[in-house]
Amino acid sequence: MLKTISRAALVAAAIAFSPLPSFAADIAGAGSTFAFPIYTKWADSFKKETGDAVNYQGIGSGAGIKQLQSKTIVFAGTDIPMKVEDLKKNGFVQWPMVMGGIAAVVNIDGVKPGQLVLDGPTLANIYMGNVKKWDDAAIKKLNPSLTLPSADIQVVRRADGSGTTFNFTDYLSKVSQDWADKVGSDASVEWPVGVGAKGNDGVAGTVGQTKNSIGYVETAYIKQNNMTYVDMINKAGKHVSPTVDALQAAAANADWAHAPGYYQILTDQPGDASWPITAATFVVVYADPSDKAASGEVVKFFDWAYKNGNAAASDLNYIPMPAGVTDMVRKTWASDIKNK
Amino acid sequence: MVVNSSVARAAQTEDRTRTLNDFKSADALFHSLTFGASVLVLLVMGGIILSLIIAAWPAMVAFGVGFFETTRWAVHAKPHPVMGVLAPLYGTMVTSVIAMLIAVPVGLGIAVFLTELCPLWLRRPISTAIELLAGIPSIIYGMWGMFYLAPFLATSVEPSIVAVFSHIPLLNVVFAEPISNQNLFNAGFVLAIMILPFITAVSCDVFATVPPVLKEAAYGIGCTTWEVMRNVVIPYTRVGLIGGVMLALGRALGETMAVTFIVGNESKVTGSIFSAGVTISSLIANEFAESDGLHQSALLYSGLILFVLVFFVLTAARYMLARGERKLGA
């Protein structure tokens, strides 16, 4: 017995005092919960390949920016791109890292995924409380062959502030002047109607158990929870489903070259194949960081992710940035960030 | 021998003085340590209140008394943001009252059963189950409440309650349609389950402090179990019981995670407890991460109000206790 204990102690001591493996300082990032699954997965593979550790915490986009401002982290993740003047004011540089989609989901007896189709103004009217029943003329007109119940629409939305809500309300503001005037777009807005649920999980769960309800979630959650998604009529007037191709089309059609500071919101983009509620998530760093080594490591990490991380991203239902955009971002890194 | 003894006596006295001095300084040290610990609590409390007031100040200035009269929570309203704490304050109180109305009788009932009536073999499993109830993290209550309890209550139980009271004035307002899947009553119900262990555990502990001889005497003159509980045990343990109930109420007022999942998060005040609402802690939990400026200040202001609310509840409890004491002449 004693022998085992002393041996265990010896092993423990050996572990405790052995020199650490090649060790660069942990680089710490925080922010967007939307980006959390993919950033942590990338960090995992990155550590295996290079030995460098990246630690990312999903604390919300706004909180991430705040942490970066107080210099407790070296990069922030945000789903709400910062405006150029805000970037300048803070001495920040941002770039888009990966994309995702947002789709409406419903729970109506007999309606299967992709069967129901809505357009932007109708979706806005549902969330304004102007369209109250599923057999409303506006919905019937878009779905002539579908039998819809004469039941009250149970509207579900996010209760917590989120980038998902920002992009969703940004889309509604673009397609409905009424929405833009009365509600507007932000991470949290004053909702005219509906029950608030916490997080994508909360919305998915609430829609799942509430008959005749409608909610909005990131497309990754649709697959995970087998939800009944709604097809949309896009800006070009075409009927589209929330597929990878449709999301990528939206990003490809966006005019990144003329978006200073990569301030680009991907909702309601032109193009026949574009999914209308597409969103990018952004990385923000200091242009002139105090810790050059850590900041250089951040760039190295995200460069690695652009090169090697697309398969992992697709596995998790994220959409990689088009090659044209990543080339632009690399130039930005070289010119705008002082790493040395 | 004689000479020696006087020397020894002198040495003894000196020893005695030194030992006494040692005791004295040890006592002084002990006193200052415990005193320091107690003052630390006051300092921490004062620090929290002060920093809350400082952080809430911009919102106090911007909204004034209107903060208590407004149910709108429009952070980005044009031209000025409109934020009011009325709906969350109302929701906090309603859910806590519902929780207490359910949990106090049930918790006391369990405690009485466990200490007075329960066969020995059943005592262990029931008290373990109660302890487990206290050990479940609140997020689990939230998830369970959202996925299973809330839909069950909203579709199977609440419609019949509405039907029963539909013709009774006042009650048909409190229990009214439309029934939201996530509502104030469901939140209160989950809170009741969460605070049950506090009430039960504290009650059991204080019931155990009743001297057996008192109970035996009461039984001896022919009292029933009910009479012994009503006239001996409960009066004897009143202070402890109220303490347990207040502890539970404190938790109910401040509970965040579980409520956020079940309450519906709608900033409105309605008479019906079957409609969605919001509480102060769920409001803060939802919005704090993405808030800044006046918005954040308003959230901290709400937090300060919750703080004051809890303070008043505790003060009221003390006051009630003191009055009860005077009545008893004890």
Side-chain angles (χ1 to χ4, degrees), chain B:
Chain B
M1 232 7 217
V2 174
V3 180
N4 275 359
S5 83
S6 84
V7 174
R9 207 174 302 134
Q12 231 171 21
T13 331
E14 199 178 311
D15 251 18
R16 195 157 167 268
T17 336
R18 195 186 307 144
T19 316
L20 275 180
N21 277 342
D22 279 357
F23 281 160
K24 217 179 268 170
S25 58
D27 257 4
L29 182 72
F30 184 63
H31 176 261
S32 52
L33 275 179
T34 48
F35 179 72
S38 321
V39 169
L40 195 67
V41 174
L42 287 181
L43 286 179
V44 169
M45 284 297 284
I48 292 175
I49 295 175
L50 195 68
S51 49
L52 271 180
I53 290 175
I54 292 171
W57 189 251
M60 289 184 191
V61 172
F63 301 118
V65 189
F67 199 58
F68 294 91
E69 298 165 349
T70 314
T71 55
R72 260 187 92 188
W73 190 264
V75 180
H76 303 284
K78 304 273 177 338
H80 306 293
V82 181
M83 284 176 261
V85 80
L86 184 60
L89 191 60
Y90 172 78
T92 304
M93 297 210 257
V94 168
T95 51
S96 299
V97 167
I98 292 169
M100 298 311 282
L101 286 179
I102 298 171
V104 170
V106 175
L108 280 181
I110 296 172
V112 170
F113 181 74
L114 277 181
T115 50
E116 301 294 323
L117 306 165
C118 183
L120 270 179
W121 60 269
L122 196 59
R123 196 170 287 184
R124 180 55 69 80
I126 292 184
S127 39
T128 311
I130 297 282
E131 277 160 29
L132 275 178
L133 227 44
I136 298 173
S138 63
I139 179 115
I140 308 287
Y141 279 109
M143 294 288 201
W144 170 74
M146 183 180 88
F147 283 114
Y148 301 102
L149 184 73
F152 169 73
L153 288 175
T155 53
S156 311
V157 178
E158 286 158 15
S160 26
I161 300 180
V162 169
V164 168
F165 291 115
S166 61
H167 297 298
I168 305 171
L170 200 66
L171 287 181
N172 62 3
V173 179
V174 177
F175 305 102
E177 306 241 57
I179 297 168
S180 168
N181 221 347
Q182 275 131 10
N183 61 44
L184 291 167
F185 177 78
N186 292 349
F189 195 92
V190 170
L191 277 178
I193 301 172
M194 293 178 74
I195 62 177
L196 200 56
F198 289 83
I199 295 175
T200 308
V202 173
S203 309
C204 280
D205 285 350
V206 295
F207 285 166
T209 64
V210 179
V213 68
L214 280 186
K215 286 194 276 181
E216 280 157 16
Y219 281 121
I221 58 166
C223 287
T224 58
T225 314
W226 159 249
E227 284 166 337
V228 172
M229 286 316 293
R230 173 73 189 73
N231 298 314
V232 179
V233 176
I234 299 222
Y236 189 88
T237 54
R238 205 181 60 251
V239 176
L241 287 181
I242 293 186
V245 167
M246 285 301 139
L247 193 69
L249 178 58
R251 166 127 199 210
L253 284 168
E255 174 49 42
T256 305
M257 230 34 207
V259 173
T260 304
F261 278 92
I262 313 159
V263 78
N265 301 300
E266 226 180 320
S267 189
K268 64 175 186 190
V269 174
T270 52
S272 170
I273 58 173
F274 293 151
S275 74
V278 62
T279 71
I280 293 181
S281 24
S282 67
L283 176 78
I284 297 173
N286 273 325
E287 301 200 353
F288 194 79
E290 298 284 346
S291 67
D292 51 16
L294 195 59
H295 182 193
Q296 192 165 75
S297 179
L299 289 175
L300 287 162
Y301 189 12
S302 315
L304 181 66
I305 289 164
L306 182 62
F307 199 105
V308 172
L309 184 69
V310 172
F311 180 80
F312 271 119
V313 165
L314 292 178
T315 315
R318 290 245 158 239
Y319 179 70
M320 268 163 52
L321 275 178
R323 263 181 51 143
E325 221 90 313
R326 263 208 305 280
K327 247 186 208 160
L328 280 178

Side-chain angles (χ1 to χ4, degrees), chain A residues 4-314:
Chain A
T4 356
I5 292 175
S6 64
R7 195 178 301 153
L10 205 71
V11 172
I15 293 169
F17 293 113
S18 65
L20 290 162
S22 66
F23 183 78
D26 264 24
I27 52 168
S32 156
T33 47
F34 164 66
F36 176 76
I38 185 61
Y39 286 2
T40 43
K41 184 154 190 197
W42 281 340
D44 223 31
S45 316
F46 185 66
K47 186 167 187 185
K48 272 183 201 133
E49 279 184 33
T50 64
D52 298 338
V54 175
N55 174 13
Y56 183 82
Q57 306 206 355
I59 56 173
S61 297
I65 300 284
K66 247 173 271 162
Q67 295 264 302
L68 187 67
Q69 279 165 337
S70 57
K71 301 200 177 182
T72 51
I73 52 174
V74 285
F75 74 93
T78 177
D79 304 332
I80 306 169
M82 290 181 78
K83 295 203 174 80
V84 186
E85 58 264 31
D86 291 333
L87 288 172
K88 279 211 181 99
K89 202 171 70 195
N90 286 290
F92 287 164
V93 173
Q94 78 180 351
W95 66 86
M97 201 54 224
V98 66
M99 298 181 297
I102 295 157
V105 287
V106 293
N107 178 351
I108 309 168
D109 279 338
V111 174
K112 293 187 182 62
Q115 276 191 342
L116 185 72
V117 55
L118 293 173
D119 58 11
T122 309
L123 189 59
N125 275 326
I126 291 175
Y127 269 86
M128 296 274 291
N130 298 336
V131 169
K132 289 190 172 67
K133 289 194 183 279
W134 279 114
D135 61 352
D136 189 280
I139 302 177
K140 265 187 166 166
K141 202 176 145 206
L142 291 162
N143 300 277
S145 59
L146 212 56
T147 19
L148 289 161
S150 176
D152 286 336
I153 300 177
Q154 309 288 330
V155 173
V156 182
R157 37 84 182 173
R158 289 283 286 269
D160 48 339
S162 77
T164 312
T165 295
F166 169 79
N167 284 294
F168 184 71
T169 53
D170 178 81
Y171 171 66
L172 296 183
S173 297
K174 281 178 181 164
V175 294
S176 155
Q177 193 55 47
D178 207 18
W179 183 276
D181 293 342
K182 288 190 182 137
V183 188
S185 66
D186 218 300
S188 54
V189 295
E190 185 192 18
W191 296 94
V193 290
V195 172
K198 189 167 166 57
N200 275 294
D201 292 309
V203 172
T206 307
V207 170
Q209 37 123 314
T210 313
K211 284 266 170 286
N212 301 313
S213 62
I214 185 167
Y216 61 91
V217 294
E218 280 149 16
T219 49
Y221 285 82
I222 293 174
K223 213 168 161 186
Q224 272 171 30
N225 299 292
N226 291 317
M227 306 208 66
T228 306
Y229 60 82
V230 175
D231 280 359
M232 296 291 297
I233 305 290
N234 67 12
K235 195 176 191 175
K238 295 283 191 283
H239 178 152
V240 283
S241 294
T243 60
V244 171
D245 291 344
L247 268 65
Q248 223 155 13
N253 287 320
D255 185 9
W256 291 100
H258 296 96
Y262 297 98
Y263 183 81
Q264 179 75 274
I265 299 164
L266 293 176
T267 55
D268 205 32
Q269 293 295 332
D272 284 358
S274 298
W275 176 252
I277 327 176
T278 304
T281 184
F282 297 78
V283 178
V284 187
V285 297
Y286 274 101
D288 188 8
S290 44
D291 186 348
K292 310 268 190 232
S295 180
E297 198 69 22
V298 172
V299 168
K300 195 176 134 199
F301 169 63
F302 285 111
D303 187 45
W304 174 92
Y306 273 156
K307 279 189 199 125
N308 309 299
N310 288 351
S314 304

